[in-house]
Amino acid sequence: MEKITLYYFLVNNNVTLARGENIKLLLEDAGLEHEYVRLRMGEDWSDRKVQIIEDGLYSGTLPYIEVGGKKFGRTIPIMRYISVKLGNKYHGANDEENQLLDSVADITDDWFESMKNAFWGSDEAKTKHVKDGTPKFLNIFERYYSAQEGPYILGEKISYSDFLVYHLLDDDKALNRLAEYPNLQKLVQSFVERPNIKKYLTTLSE
Ligand SMILES: N[C@@H](CCC(=O)N[C@@H](CS)C(=O)NCC(=O)O)C(=O)O
């Protein structure tokens, strides 16, 4: 693929927090040439929002990517688009596998929304999310991953949904809450050992 430019907010001064990082991880894993442009909410966002709506990203939201002079929006559709461009590299092998990936991806969106509402919500909402919200999603995903051989949702082959689940575990500070979730542990152990991911994660801790 041609060079990809990814645009997303820098949330809370944390370079990995929130939606853009799902795409960043996929770009790293695939070894694609890319640039990651970080925008700040208050600064130039309102002008940029008007501009991207004019350019056809009608929801006016981040993340989006620019490739070959065209813009493409929405996290999960962007991941699917890249996968398709790479010959379905991060898709399933048939309609049923792809339905499973769709379902898992859809639930990660519920999880993200729950986490986001707690993040911007009251102390009480935050406490409730940590106590009830996170375990609710850990249980759901443990069930999904325990139904497969693993380590990934489709077995040996990684798919775009695995990136979404891994990154939510990270965003929701659940990577160290996996003692009772052996299949999610297996996912994380394999994910962080993927050569390009391992290299990228090292750059984050430098
Ligand atoms: N489901 C969409 C959500 C897009 C979305 O709501 N993005 C937020 C940031 S996470 C945004 O752009 N907010 C600023 C705005 O709506 O003006 C996706 O994953 O792309």
Side-chain angles (χ1 to χ4, degrees), residues 22-142:
N22 294 298
I23 302 166
K24 171 69 175 162
L25 287 167
L26 194 82
L27 292 171
E28 288 291 342
D29 190 77
L32 294 175
E33 188 191 359
H34 65 279
E35 181 185 352
Y36 197 174
V37 177
R38 310 309 294 262
L39 305 174
R40 287 179 194 269
M41 251 298 181
E43 289 174 14
D44 53 353
W45 174 233
S46 39
D47 290 349
R48 177 72 63 116
K49 189 174 172 82
V50 171
Q51 184 60 52
I52 65 172
I53 291 172
E54 274 176 20
D55 291 347
L57 295 182
Y58 301 119
S59 68
T61 54
L62 298 181
Y64 72 91
I65 59 166
E66 216 168 324
V67 55
K70 294 201 177 96
K71 294 185 176 66
F72 302 96
R74 318 296 286 185
T75 313
I76 298 171
I78 290 170
M79 297 171 82
R80 291 186 183 129
Y81 175 74
I82 294 170
S83 171
V84 168
K85 285 289 180 193
L86 298 175
N88 285 330
K89 184 176 167 79
Y90 297 99
H91 271 82
N94 53 47
D95 293 346
E96 288 66 34
E97 286 190 355
N98 285 326
Q99 205 286 333
L100 173 66
L101 300 185
D102 275 352
S103 305
V104 168
D106 198 58
I107 302 166
T108 64
D109 216 40
D110 293 351
W111 187 356
F112 186 87
E113 285 301 314
S114 165
M115 187 187 72
K116 189 182 83 181
N117 292 337
F119 183 83
W120 298 112
S122 62
D123 285 351
E124 196 188 335
K126 286 185 178 63
T127 308
K128 189 164 166 39
H129 177 75
V130 171
K131 184 172 165 289
D132 301 330
T134 308
K136 174 183 143 181
F137 288 104
L138 291 177
N139 281 317
I140 292 174
F141 284 111
E142 180 64 18

Side-chain angles (χ1 to χ4, degrees), residues 134-171:
T134 308
K136 174 183 143 181
F137 288 104
L138 291 177
N139 281 317
I140 292 174
F141 284 111
E142 180 64 18
R143 287 199 288 274
Y144 270 99
Y145 279 82
S146 67
Q148 322 292 330
E149 268 305 301
Y152 302 115
I153 195 75
L154 296 179
E156 286 296 317
K157 188 196 179 207
I158 197 163
S159 67
Y160 69 86
S161 297
D162 296 302
F163 289 80
L164 293 160
V165 175
Y166 168 79
H167 180 53
L168 266 162
L169 292 170
D170 185 20
D171 258 4

